[in-house]
């Protein structure tokens, strides 16, 4: 009696079981012949190997993968799945599953306020980025993706809230909310318009709320110091002065005094 079986199967013949543990043998069948004499049966099994393969991939932390009728995830990243009768020879197929979980993307973003409070002049600087798998891409407010690396600046931002999306090479992403502020309001106040007698002197003591980088009086006529914030004027005619200050970022503010 010769037959072909998958290596994990068995066959029972006249109460005798044969399998991979007993692939061949002989046994007697009392009075088994047509003449009621004993019969002897020789059994030989041809065992077909089970198909085996491996499946490995990288997934995002919140994702899962289905192999056969089993799900694998970060909480269940490995195991063996047996697919009944799935091989080309009709035997079971064994799949060894091994998942890698992409670590979360971490980044440090530095928003920068509107420049001189002009519309759409805000920026965000990508200072550092780590985690994930492979290279990175970035998008702003659901816009198109672009390559991302430390030092990248996203420009043209309006004041208010924005959403930055960071994506790694396998498609895992992280959303980060940022806020672009308006810059500090520069204040400059010159004294009220003043009337003096011809030949008289008027002191000019401007008030401001910031440390200026540059200063310009226009015109500079009759001023005791045209490069000073606090100065005096001895005019021989009616004159209107304009003082313009700029802060270290180059933002100007002006006021007038007559």
């Amino acid at each position: 009696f010769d037959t072909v079986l998958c290596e994990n199967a068995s066959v029972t013949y006249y109460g005798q079981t044969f399998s991979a543990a007993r692939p061949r043998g002989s046994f007697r069948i009392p009075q088994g012949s047509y003449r009621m004499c004993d019969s002897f049966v020789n059994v030989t099994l041809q065992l077909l190997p089970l198909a085996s393969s491996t499946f490995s991939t990288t997934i995002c932390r919140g994702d899962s993968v289905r192999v056969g009728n089993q799900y694998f995830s970060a909480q269940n990243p490995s195991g063996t799945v047996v697919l009944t009768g799935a091989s080309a020879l009709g035997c079971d197929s064994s799949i060894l599953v091994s998942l890698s979980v992409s670590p979360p993307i971490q980044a440090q973003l530095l928003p920068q306020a509107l420049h001189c409070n002009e519309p759409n002049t805000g920026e965000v600087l990508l200072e550092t980025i780590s985690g994930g798998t492979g290279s990175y891409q970035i998008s702003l407010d659901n816009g198109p993706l672009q390559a991302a690396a430390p030092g990248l600046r996203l420009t043209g931002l309006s004041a208010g809230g924005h959403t930055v999306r960071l994506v790694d090479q396998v498609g895992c992403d992280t959303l980060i909310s940022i806020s672009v502020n308006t810059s500090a309001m520069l204040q400059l106040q010159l004294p009220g318009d003043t009337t003096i007698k011809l030949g008289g002197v008027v002191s000019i003591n401007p008030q401001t709320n910031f440390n200026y980088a540059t200063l310009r009086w226009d015109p500079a006529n009759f001023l005791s110091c045209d490069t000073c914030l606090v100065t005096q004027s001895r005019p021989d005619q009616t004159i209107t002065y304009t003082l313009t200050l700029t802060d270290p970022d180059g933002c100007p503010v002006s006021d007038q005094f007559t």
Side-chain angles (χ1 to χ4, degrees):
F1 176 75
D2 296 336
T3 190
V4 178
L5 292 178
C6 299
E7 65 181 6
N8 65 336
S10 64
V11 62
T12 300
Y13 190 59
Y14 283 91
Q16 301 289 321
T17 300
F18 294 85
S19 64
R22 187 190 178 193
R24 62 183 59 86
S26 301
F27 62 91
R28 182 171 61 91
I29 305 175
Q31 300 178 352
S33 73
Y34 74 95
R35 293 181 177 180
M36 301 303 292
C37 297
D38 292 349
S39 295
F40 289 87
V41 180
N42 294 319
V43 176
T44 300
L45 300 183
Q46 179 184 350
L47 298 175
L48 300 177
L50 300 179
S52 62
S53 61
T54 60
F55 175 76
S56 60
T57 190
T58 300
I59 65 170
C60 306
R61 182 162 297 274
D63 291 347
S64 63
V65 172
R66 181 179 177 179
V67 180
N69 60 354
Q70 296 185 40
Y71 287 89
F72 295 85
S73 64
Q75 292 71 39
N76 178 36
S78 61
T80 300
V81 177
V82 176
L83 303 178
T84 304
S87 76
L89 299 175
C91 297
D92 293 349
S93 178
S94 175
I95 303 175
L96 180 63
V97 178
S98 177
L99 300 183
S100 298
V101 180
S102 185
I105 301 173
Q106 297 180 334
Q108 185 172 358
L109 298 170
L110 180 61
Q112 298 183 351
L114 298 183
H115 182 68
C116 304
N117 281 327
E118 295 178 1
N120 301 322
T121 56
E123 298 183 357
V124 59
L125 171 65
L126 177 60
E127 290 193 310
T128 62
I129 185 169
S130 60
T133 300
S135 57
Y136 306 101
Q137 292 184 299
I138 190 172
S139 71
L140 178 69
D141 297 332
N142 295 319
L145 289 168
Q146 60 177 296
L152 175 71
R153 288 182 181 272
L154 301 177
T155 61
L157 277 68
S158 61
H162 298 273
T163 299
V164 175
R165 180 181 179 225
L166 297 164
V167 185
D168 69 8
Q169 191 169 312
V170 296
C172 302
D173 63 0
T174 293
L175 299 178
I176 301 176
S177 296
I178 63 167
S179 181
V180 173
N181 297 323
T182 57
S183 55
M185 186 65 66
L186 303 183
Q187 296 179 4
L188 172 62
Q189 184 177 4
L190 292 176
D193 294 346
T194 302
T195 300
I196 61 173
K197 295 180 179 180
L198 184 63
V201 176
V202 61
S203 295
I204 308 174
N205 187 10
Q207 302 297 313
T208 184
N209 66 340
F210 65 99
N211 294 322
Y212 63 90
T214 64
L215 171 153
R216 185 179 77 254
W217 287 100
D218 184 28
N221 300 349
F222 313 117
L223 294 177
S224 61
C225 178
D226 62 6
T227 59
C228 301
L229 181 65
V230 177
T231 187
Q232 291 181 329
S233 176
R234 188 190 298 270
D236 60 8
Q237 63 187 42
T238 298
I239 189 169
T240 297
Y241 292 106
T242 299
L243 173 61
T244 301
L245 303 178
T246 59
D247 69 5
D249 294 324
C251 301
V253 62
S254 299
D255 196 18
Q256 291 184 330
F257 165 69
T258 299

